Amino acid sequence: GVLVIGNDQNTTNADRTALIVLASDGGLRQKVTIRQTGKGDGINLSRGSFNFETEPSEAQILTISSNTHWRIEIPEGVNWITLDQTSGESGETSIQIKAAPSSTDALRSTSLSVLYGDAYDKVEEFTVSQKGLTSIYLETDESVSSFESVGGETVIHVESNAQWFAFIPSSVSWLHFDSELDSLTSEGTASRIGSGDLHIKCDENSTSRDRTTGVVIVAGSRSPKEVVVTMEQIRDGSILPLETSVGL
């Protein structure tokens, strides 16, 4: 005869087995093993991409449906995206994605990985993009700064609606940014987002020559703006010219 065996759906991730024993009236026995595969680790993302305006007004929602645990990895150095949750278990989870206001005129975009499974060895990805500023302005409160031979410090005020970078030429060793007050990205390079002050220190000039250089300030990448502030220092033994005014 024919023996028909039915089975229920396996809603777990793991395979499962069952043992059936067939016995006859004469005492014969036969073992039959039945194996059913699991449905495996699975995950579904409600959206594959998210696009933000230059100044986002609200968060966007990513819904993750999964039958296993998962975690989201944000690429190193990407600090303009925040998630209110980066890991979870099986079930349905809603995640708020927020983007900081853009500080550049260029489009920025990155991919985030969702790792899942027992060993987190499976991956899905989604992208987050943001529009850049439509226009950038950059200006300083002075175009020339002068130092006496003994050196000193000066403050340059920068007005901008974007992230800007200030550079001292690598060949110039007598000017320095203030590492305690300025955000330095590398030696001779300072950066800030929006308006703020730039603090510059000048060493003593013990040579017999006046010296001059320029501090270059740049904002934007698609349509960059640039300002050059001239730095002057008189030679040892000289004095700066006096500014006089005469009233009649």
Side-chain angles (χ1 to χ4, degrees), residues 185-245:
T185 58
S186 63
E187 182 68 25
T189 304
S191 177
R192 184 184 293 271
I193 296 177
S195 300
D197 292 333
L198 190 62
H199 306 81
I200 298 177
K201 295 182 176 181
C202 178
D203 296 338
E204 180 182 1
N205 186 0
S206 58
T207 72
S208 59
R209 296 182 301 171
D210 298 342
R211 51 190 181 186
T212 303
T213 191
V215 173
V216 181
I217 305 172
V218 179
S221 57
R222 184 169 56 87
S223 300
K225 305 291 184 181
E226 178 179 295
V227 175
V228 179
V229 180
T230 300
M231 297 287 158
E232 300 176 339
Q233 187 181 30
I234 59 175
R235 61 188 179 276
D236 186 24
S238 299
I239 60 172
L240 289 172
L242 294 178
E243 294 185 2
T244 60
S245 61

Side-chain angles (χ1 to χ4, degrees), residues 147-159:
F147 296 95
E148 296 192 19
S149 61
V150 293
E153 301 179 8
T154 189
V155 176
I156 300 173
H157 183 71
V158 180
E159 285 287 334

